[in-house]
Amino acid sequence: GEQVKSVVAQMESGLPLGIKTEYLSFLPGDVDDKIQNFMSNLGQAILIVIAVMLTTLGFRTGMVVAALLPMALLMTFMWMGVFSIGIDQVSLASLIISLGLLVDNGIVVCESTMVKISEGKTPKEAAVETSRELSIPLLVASLTTAAAFLPIFLAESEAGEFCAPLFKVVTICLLSSWLLSI
């Protein structure tokens, strides 16, 4: 919006006297409101997922898996910046979709590690063995889930172009989750 105002001001300075420009539609404020609303929804979804994990997994395991959420989201935002994926309604919706999926890797790794500890292994041995055993299966599972969104990305249409961040963000989010979990 600010860039548009700047360009319009430059153009107006070159117009003959008596000619004025008006905005028929100017929506940067509306877009900001929608993004703030989505960010609020994202925050609420994160809190709900954390509450469910703490309730169902127990405090200790729930906290370990809950720590994965903000780290994976921060990593996702970092990679979104690297790949020039903007924060818009589609990318934020992708993050909300990914929330339930990205904790799966952490839950599987934590549960497997706990089973190995209960079998008598040290926590370090259990974690290393779990990472070795589950790295490829969890990667394949993450990529398979991401591939479900691939047709949207590959669609040669306006809708495909508009929704392309759905595939990109879900893939980045799931791969970030996988990397952090392992």
Side-chain angles (χ1 to χ4, degrees):
E2 295 301 321
Q3 290 173 341
V4 169
K5 284 182 180 180
S6 171
V7 169
V8 169
Q10 285 178 338
M11 290 176 60
E12 283 179 334
S13 67
L15 293 174
L17 290 175
I19 295 180
K20 293 184 178 184
T21 60
E22 288 185 29
Y23 294 99
L24 293 177
S25 178
F26 195 71
L27 302 175
D30 293 344
V31 172
D32 285 341
D33 290 344
K34 286 183 180 185
I35 289 176
Q36 290 301 325
N37 188 25
F38 263 81
M39 290 300 278
S40 173
N41 290 343
L42 179 63
Q44 291 170 9
I46 290 170
L47 291 175
I48 290 168
V49 169
I50 289 173
V52 168
M53 284 188 302
L54 290 173
T55 304
T56 58
L57 298 176
F59 183 76
R60 187 173 180 187
T61 305
M63 286 303 291
V64 170
V65 177
L68 175 69
L69 261 172
M71 290 189 299
L73 290 174
L74 286 173
M75 186 180 269
T76 300
F77 281 122
M78 179 192 73
W79 284 109
M80 285 172 63
V82 169
F83 293 118
S84 300
I85 301 169
I87 297 176
D88 54 27
Q89 287 182 330
V90 176
S91 62
L92 289 174
S94 303
L95 290 171
I96 292 171
I97 290 168
S98 298
L99 281 180
L101 302 171
L102 72 86
V103 295
D104 288 348
N105 289 331
I107 291 170
V108 170
V109 169
C110 278
E111 291 295 325
S112 178
T113 302
M114 288 174 43
V115 167
K116 291 183 185 312
I117 290 172
S118 71
E119 292 172 351
K121 296 195 166 124
T122 67
K124 183 177 180 178
E125 290 172 335
V128 169
E129 191 174 314
T130 294
S131 294
R132 278 193 202 122
E133 285 178 5
L134 296 178
S135 61
I136 299 301
L138 288 177
L139 176 62
V140 170
S142 295
L143 291 175
T144 301
T145 302
F149 297 93
L150 186 60
I152 295 170
F153 176 71
L154 296 176
E156 294 182 13
S157 66
E158 292 172 4
E161 185 177 336
F162 178 74
C163 293
L166 185 62
F167 167 73
K168 294 175 186 177
V169 173
V170 167
T171 302
I172 291 169
C173 199
L174 291 177
L175 290 177
S176 296
S177 164
W178 172 78
L179 184 65
L180 291 169
S181 294
I182 297 301

